[in-house]
Structures are given as structure tokens and as C-alpha cells.
Amino acid sequence: MTTMESLIGLVNRIQRVCTVLGDYGTDSSSSSSTASFSSLWEALPTVAVVGGQSSGKSSVLESIVGRDFLPRGSGIVTRRPLVLQLHKTEVGAQEYAEFLHLPKRRFTDFAAVRKEIKDETDRVTGMAKMISPVPIHLSIYSPNVVNLTLVDLPGLTKVAVEGQPDSIVEDIENMVRSYVAKPNCIILAISPANQDIATSDAIKLAREVDPSGTRLFTKGKVKENIKLFILRIKLTPCHLTRLSDVLLGERTFGVLTKLDLMDKGTNALDVLEGRSYRLQHPWVGIVNRSQADINKNVDMIAARRNEREYFATSPDYSHLASKMGSEYLAKLLSKRLESVIRARIPSITSLISKNIDELEAELDRLGRPVGVDAGAQLYTILELCRAFDRIFKEHLEGGRPGGDRIYGVFDHQLPAALKKLPFDRHLSFQSVRKVVSEADGYQPHLIAPEQGYRRLIEGALNYFRGPAEASVDAVHFVLKELVRKSIAETQELRRFPSLQVEIAGAAGEALERFREESKKTVVRLVDMEASYLTVDFFRKLPQEIEKGPITEKGPNNGASTVDRYTEGHFRRIATNVSSYINMVSEILKNTVPKAVVYCQVREAKHSLLNHFYAQIGKREGKQLGLLLDEDPALMERRHQAAKRLELFKSARDEIESVAWAR
């Protein structure tokens, strides 16, 4: 059978691991790097001690422990949660205390414990009386305690003291609420008996967060706070006269302090016996040390004895003596905490397993830390470059979108550009006549204006340079965009913004070299067409002049059917040149894409980072380390994920170490 000691000790150990690894509830996970991680601290059953200032909260805790160890003073004394873990030891064993933040130091002087709590509080919150959600862990080992864990929270207050911001009242309430709102939190609501229970800060907060187990009894006229609750559950006025009780608070344990300070002739039986405010769990009355006892240094063991005598001899409370006092309260809470832990273990185990799987997947996505030696760093850089290169090739080869845009340049953009060339203006009647005439010079051509033809063709071919170079630029732009997309899609590279910039720069330089070579090649294709015309094309053209019989006086001019200087003659020249240009256009429409793919796409596919590889191998370790300088936010995210994974694995090991009853 699993013992109470092993169950509560299990949660104690997990709580300590949580604090060491930075998980202490909602406030500890508010940063963007940890916001999506589940909190194990939130899932652990706890007993939260809640009360207003001067409610006797500290005295109750000291009575349970049997030691005077908490700081005292005016204003807000408890400014950080105090996780108080009590461990029962064998009779006669020496009492001592240990702090989680001082693991190698054992305190046997409890005055030193008080001083350390104050010093550790000031270390985190400063001297300005601010508050912090970071808990202090204190373990006390004593034969005079039961196995129990309590979380002492800052006292609820209504007014900020000097030196504190006005928001301190709300800040404290929000911190306390973050603990008691958890469904697995046992609320120890402490109220002084010498004040009206209806005004208790602790009961008010418990009623808001735990509305499933408190009975508010009414006599005659319904009090205002009851009216509000009745309105909330929408009871009609006719129900009010028949209403005997309203159920609230199954997680709440009520503690009534300062019973000995009530006015003479009054008592708190209506509360303790549940006639005015009943909880599902019985109220427990406590009689703390008086201020005179504190001044006389009356020890807590004697105070416990005095408390027992008070209840045993009190005419008002003697019939309840067996269920009153700090010793009874400690046993009651220990038993309840053990029950809640036992019930919650399956869900905690499930939460741990789920989070281990999610965190391991997260770390795989974020990547493991990089080695510090130059060889490991160079290997990592090359692997990252290969990962980028694979994705870039997938874009080109169709595995990912984007490569089809290159084909769009050849199939749509280039043909459209060729059709828009101003050949109509270049081969107009006036232009042809001017070019042919200027080519003839002072002596007109005799049969065919060959020089005119050549000048017209060369001039027209120059227009092809523009579309050819535009095709190169268009493909260059597509390749640059694919590089950008590939870098963004390479998951492994996201960790290293400096390396991303370096790869983008190296790829950009390589693409520029490929573009320059491609432009030279396509311009050569155009120049080749201009440097040697296709003779067969002109040999197949119909003759313009039909020659008559030759006589002694020369050609028979009467037989000539064509005048070489008419408009029709020049238009026939324009038509012939246009036909030749169209033939060359069809040739370039096929050869320019080949040149572009060969010089740009093929080179980008096979040697995009070759120059970068040659340069990176010459760099020293420090320079390589700069390339692997990760995004600080991502490094923090990985660090927090690793810490949280360590936490959940430690918790899993702790649970597995306990021999559960079958």
C-alpha cells in the first residue's frame, strides 16, 4: 500500500524540481519563449494558505510546524510564495530546515531560518516591498510535524503601504487567485474570529473560485452577499423564504483564529458548527500565541499545550475540543492532501507523458545545440547548405512550386516580346528606300541591292538583343526568388540568421555570374545570325527582273518588266527582309531558352554554392561560430524546452520510483 509519506514526498520532490527548472505556475510561463509549454506545477495538488493581513496566518503555520520561524512585522511581510514542506522524522531526531536555494546548508537555528527567508525575499523583490511569484522552498524535518506541504501566500490587503505601487493590492490578489483557482488546490482560508465572517477576505476569494461546497445559512432577512449569489443562480423571490442553505466550497477548509480574543460573552459556535457559514469540510478553531507569549519567547510546543488546554476547558468549545487546534488541522490537511494526490496521479502521469512527446518533437524541430569545435561547426554548415540545396533543386525540378515560372518566360514572355519588336517601322517604304539608297552611295545597284539587304537585316537583328537579354533577366529574377523561398523553407536554417544571410549572399553572387555568362551567350546567338546570313534563303527568292535578249546596243530595255526604283520594288525588299527576320526569330525563339537554361538554370542546379564551399573551408573556428550564431529568441525557446523536458522526465522518474498499490 502506498503510504501518505511516499505520496506527499513524491509531490514535494516534483515541486522542488519545478522550482529549480523555472516552472512555478502561470506567471513563470508568461514570456513568449515559454508561453505554449504546459505547467507541471499547475497540475500538482497543493494546500494554499490564504488570509488577510493580521488574520493570524503566520501564527497558524508556526503552530502546525511547532517552531517560530516566519518573519514578522507591519505591512506586507510575505512577499513571495513560501512552499513549506514538512517531513516527519523519528522521535528524538534533531529538528532542522533546508532551503532549496541553499542545498548544502542545514539550519538548526530557526531564527536563522527567519532571517534567510527575509534575505532571500529581498534578493528577488528588492527592498521596495514589491512581490514576486518565484517561490521559496523550505523543508523542515521534525518529529513534531505531520507529512504535509503548504504554500504560504502574501496576505490579502486593501491598501498599499508607503513605497509600494497602487497596483500592489490587485497584484497580490491576482497571485493568490492564480494558486487557489486551480481545481487541485486545497484552500486553507484563515479568518479571525473577532471580525465578521462576512467580511473575510479569504472566504470571499474562496467563494469566488470554489463555488461548489459552502453552505450559507440565512435567518430571516437574506444578507446582501447571499442576495448576490441568489441572483446569480436566478432564484425567484418565492424561493428566498423557503431557502435554508446554498451550497458552495468543496476545496475550502475554514480556519477560525483568535477565538480567545473575542469579546466577553460572545463565541464563534455559529461558524464552527456550520450554522452561519458551513463548508463541506468542518471548520477548525485555532488559538495562537498571544503577543505577550511572543514577547516572552514562549516556544511553540508549550503553545500547542496551552491551545489543547484552552479547548478542553472552554465552556463554549470543550465539546468540539477533539476537532480543534493546530495539531488536528495538520492531520486533517495531511489526510486530505494525500487523498487528492492519489486521485490526481493518473491525470498527472498522462500530462507528463503527453508533454514529453510534445517537447521531444519541439526540440527535434528546433534542432540540437551545435558543437563548439571547428570540425563540428563546418560539418553543420555543410549539412545545412545541402538541406537548402535539396529544396532549391526541388523547386527547379517540380517537387515544389516555382520552377514552372522559368518555362513561362520561354513560352509566353519571350514570344510576346519578339512580336512587339518594331519591324513594321524598320521596314516601312521610307525606311527601306533610305537604307537602300544610302547603301548604294553615288553608284546605284545594278541588279539587286545586296548592301541594302545586309544593312536592313543587320539593323533588324539588333532588335533581338532586347528580348534575349530580358529573358536572361527574367530567369535570373525567378532563380533569386527560388533561393529566397528555399532558404525560408529550410527548417534547419531558421536557427541561424547569420548563415541564412551568408547563403543568400553567396547564391546571389553565383546567380549574377551565371546571368552575365548567359547574357554574353544570347547576345552571341544574335550576333552569329548577323555575322553570316543564310544564303539559301535568298537563292530561293523569285527574281525581280526578267531579262530581255541582249543586242549589240545592250539589254533590250523594252523587255524589262521591273523598275528597280519604284515603290513596289522597295516593298518587295521589305517583304523579303521581313521573311528572313521571321525565320531568324523562330530560330532564336528556340536557341535563347537553350542558352539560358544551360548558362543559368543548369549551373544553379549543379554549382550554386560551389564557390561558397571553397571559401567556407578556409575560415577559422571563430568565423564559423559567427555563422552559427542563432536567433536569441530561438535559443531561448530551445533552452526553455530542454528545461521543461528535463522537468517532465524527472517527474516521470519520481512517479515510477514509487511502488503503487495494485
Side-chain angles (χ1 to χ4, degrees):
M1 187 70 177
T2 305
T3 64
M4 182 186 301
E5 180 179 359
S6 63
L7 285 171
I8 296 177
L10 167 67
V11 172
N12 287 349
R13 292 192 296 275
I14 295 176
Q15 281 181 332
R16 287 196 290 269
V17 174
C18 284
T19 298
V20 169
L21 296 177
D23 176 14
Y24 34 85
T26 304
D27 290 337
S28 66
S29 302
S30 59
S31 67
S32 59
S33 62
T34 60
S36 63
F37 296 147
S38 297
S39 171
L40 181 56
W41 178 280
E42 299 262 345
L44 297 176
T46 56
V47 178
V49 185
V50 183
Q53 287 188 33
S54 303
S55 63
K57 183 164 59 72
S58 296
S59 295
V60 170
L61 291 174
E62 289 182 332
S63 294
I64 290 175
V65 174
R67 279 288 187 171
D68 189 355
F69 69 98
L70 291 173
R72 295 181 181 275
S74 60
I76 302 171
V77 178
T78 304
R79 292 182 283 127
R80 289 175 58 184
L82 175 66
V83 180
L84 180 59
Q85 299 179 343
L86 307 181
H87 306 266
K88 186 173 181 60
T89 59
E90 295 181 359
V91 177
Q94 184 184 29
E95 293 179 286
Y96 64 93
E98 292 179 342
F99 287 96
L100 183 63
H101 62 275
L102 298 172
K104 296 182 180 180
R105 184 176 174 186
R106 180 174 292 189
F107 291 78
T108 55
D109 180 1
F110 281 81
V113 172
R114 181 189 302 111
K115 182 178 185 301
E116 181 58 33
I117 292 174
K118 183 180 183 303
D119 292 345
E120 176 63 13
T121 298
D122 291 340
R123 185 183 65 81
V124 173
T125 63
M127 303 297 291
K129 297 188 180 298
M130 303 299 291
I131 64 170
S132 168
V134 181
I136 299 173
H137 275 255
L138 173 62
S139 296
I140 294 179
Y141 299 82
S142 169
N144 302 316
V145 300
V146 296
N147 292 297
L148 180 62
T149 299
L150 302 161
V151 181
D152 184 23
L153 297 170
L156 297 165
T157 184
K158 294 181 173 62
V159 180
V161 300
E162 185 178 355
Q164 291 180 327
D166 293 337
S167 64
I168 193 73
V169 176
E170 184 179 354
D171 293 342
I172 290 175
E173 182 175 338
N174 289 339
M175 182 196 295
V176 174
R177 189 182 295 273
S178 71
Y179 276 83
V180 300
K182 297 185 298 181
N184 53 358
C185 176
I186 299 169
I187 305 169
L188 188 61
I190 296 177
S191 305
N194 57 353
Q195 294 180 13
D196 187 352
I197 193 68
T199 65
S200 168
D201 295 323
I203 291 298
K204 177 185 175 184
L205 183 59
R207 187 165 62 236
E208 292 176 5
V209 300
D210 181 28
S212 58
T214 309
R215 295 179 185 271
L216 297 175
F217 281 73
T218 62
K219 296 181 180 179
K221 186 179 178 180
V222 181
K223 293 183 180 179
E224 288 302 317
N225 59 333
I226 308 303
K227 285 181 179 179
L228 293 175
F229 177 77
I230 290 167
L231 289 173
R232 186 183 300 173
I233 61 176
K234 299 181 180 179
L235 294 182
T236 63
C238 66
H239 289 110
L240 299 182
T241 58
R242 300 195 301 269
L243 184 68
S244 62
D245 57 305
V246 181
L247 192 65
L248 297 171
E250 67 177 353
R251 296 188 287 114
T252 303
F253 284 77
V255 174
L256 210 57
T257 63
K258 304 185 180 181
L259 292 170
D260 55 328
L261 300 182
M262 295 183 69
D263 294 337
K264 288 185 178 182
T266 63
N267 59 50
L269 287 177
D270 282 348
V271 175
L272 292 175
E273 294 180 344
R275 287 190 294 275
S276 63
Y277 197 102
R278 177 180 294 176
L279 301 171
Q280 282 199 7
H281 307 287
W283 280 85
V284 179
I286 299 289
V287 175
N288 298 321
R289 290 183 303 168
S290 66
Q291 188 60 48
D293 291 337
I294 295 173
N295 294 339
K296 293 177 183 178
N297 292 322
V298 174
D299 66 63
M300 297 306 303
I301 300 302
R304 283 184 180 179
R305 185 169 58 251
N306 294 338
E307 183 184 44
R308 288 195 298 269
E309 291 176 359
Y310 174 85
F311 284 112
T313 59
S314 170
D316 293 322
Y317 309 119
S318 58
H319 64 292
L320 299 174
S322 63
K323 295 183 179 180
M324 294 289 120
S326 56
E327 292 177 287
Y328 173 76
L329 175 63
K331 293 174 183 177
L332 182 67
L333 291 174
S334 182
K335 184 177 180 180
R336 179 60 180 174
L337 180 59
E338 185 266 344
S339 174
V340 173
I341 292 172
R342 189 182 297 279
R344 294 286 180 178
I345 284 296
S347 62
I348 292 173
T349 303
S350 176
L351 172 70
I352 289 171
S353 298
K354 176 175 177 288
N355 277 275
I356 286 176
D357 292 341
E358 291 178 352
L359 288 165
E360 286 180 339
E362 173 85 346
L363 285 172
D364 286 340
R365 185 183 68 80
L366 294 174
R368 303 293 174 173
V370 180
V372 294
D373 61 288
Q377 291 174 342
L378 179 59
Y379 176 81
T380 299
I381 291 172
L382 294 178
E383 284 296 302
L384 292 169
C385 290
R386 292 187 188 103
F388 155 77
D389 203 42
R390 280 195 303 272
I391 292 177
F392 181 71
K393 288 178 180 177
E394 288 175 6
H395 278 294
L396 290 178
E397 295 170 350
R400 295 172 185 256
D404 55 308
R405 292 171 57 194
I406 295 175
Y407 175 72
V409 172
F410 303 145
D411 193 50
H412 303 293
Q413 185 172 324
L414 177 60
L418 293 175
K419 287 181 181 179
K420 292 180 181 179
L421 293 177
F423 293 134
D424 290 344
R425 185 174 68 252
H426 181 70
L427 297 177
S428 65
F429 165 69
Q430 292 83 356
S431 177
V432 171
R433 182 174 62 182
K434 178 182 178 183
V435 170
V436 171
S437 299
E438 290 176 352
D440 284 347
Y442 73 93
Q443 185 174 355
H445 60 273
L446 300 177
I447 299 178
E450 180 174 334
Q451 290 301 319
Y453 267 103
R454 289 187 179 277
R455 289 192 182 184
L456 287 169
I457 292 172
E458 288 173 0
L461 290 178
N462 281 332
Y463 287 115
F464 286 121
R465 288 173 175 261
E469 291 181 332
S471 297
V472 171
D473 291 336
V475 170
H476 176 76
F477 177 80
V478 172
L479 291 173
K480 281 183 64 176
E481 182 64 16
L482 293 183
V483 166
R484 186 193 65 79
K485 289 181 65 177
S486 299
I487 290 175
E489 292 171 9
T490 305
Q491 295 284 347
E492 301 90 332
L493 270 177
R494 293 184 179 180
R495 298 169 52 187
F496 308 108
S498 298
L499 184 57
Q500 289 181 41
V501 172
E502 195 81 9
I503 290 177
E509 291 176 3
L511 292 178
E512 285 292 342
R513 292 195 299 272
F514 302 155
R515 175 165 71 168
E516 291 305 312
E517 186 60 33
S518 185
K519 278 191 176 182
K520 292 177 182 178
T521 302
V522 296
V523 169
R524 285 194 194 101
L525 291 176
V526 175
D527 292 344
M528 286 164 57
E529 293 295 337
S531 63
Y532 186 80
L533 305 183
T534 304
V535 179
D536 286 347
F537 177 87
F538 293 99
R539 287 176 177 172
K540 295 176 181 178
L541 290 176
Q543 295 295 319
E544 293 182 354
I545 300 174
E546 296 178 6
K547 297 179 181 179
I550 298 176
T551 63
E552 293 179 358
K553 297 181 179 180
N556 185 355
N557 293 332
S560 176
T561 61
V562 178
D563 186 348
R564 284 170 285 170
Y565 299 102
T566 64
E567 181 178 348
H569 172 68
F570 290 115
R571 292 197 181 280
R572 277 191 293 276
I573 292 174
T575 300
N576 292 339
V577 172
S578 178
S579 297
Y580 186 82
I581 294 302
N582 288 336
M583 179 193 73
V584 173
S585 178
E586 290 299 317
I587 293 172
L588 293 177
K589 195 186 299 183
N590 293 318
T591 56
V592 167
K594 294 177 186 294
V596 170
V597 168
Y598 183 83
C599 295
Q600 288 175 270
V601 180
R602 178 177 173 276
E603 286 299 308
K605 183 177 176 181
H606 294 294
S607 59
L608 181 63
L609 295 180
N610 281 5
H611 183 71
F612 177 69
Y613 292 148
Q615 295 298 315
I616 203 69
K618 302 175 183 177
R619 298 195 185 183
E620 298 178 354
K622 185 176 181 180
Q623 295 173 311
L624 297 175
L626 292 176
L627 290 181
L628 297 176
D629 184 17
E630 297 182 74
D631 180 354
L634 192 145
M635 291 175 67
E636 177 64 16
R637 176 75 177 177
R638 188 199 300 113
H639 175 66
Q640 293 297 336
K643 283 177 61 177
R644 198 56 61 96
L645 179 61
E646 181 184 354
L647 163 61
F648 281 105
K649 285 186 174 181
S650 297
R652 180 187 62 187
D653 294 342
E654 292 288 355
I655 292 175
E656 290 176 352
S657 68
V658 177
W660 300 109
R662 293 185 177 274

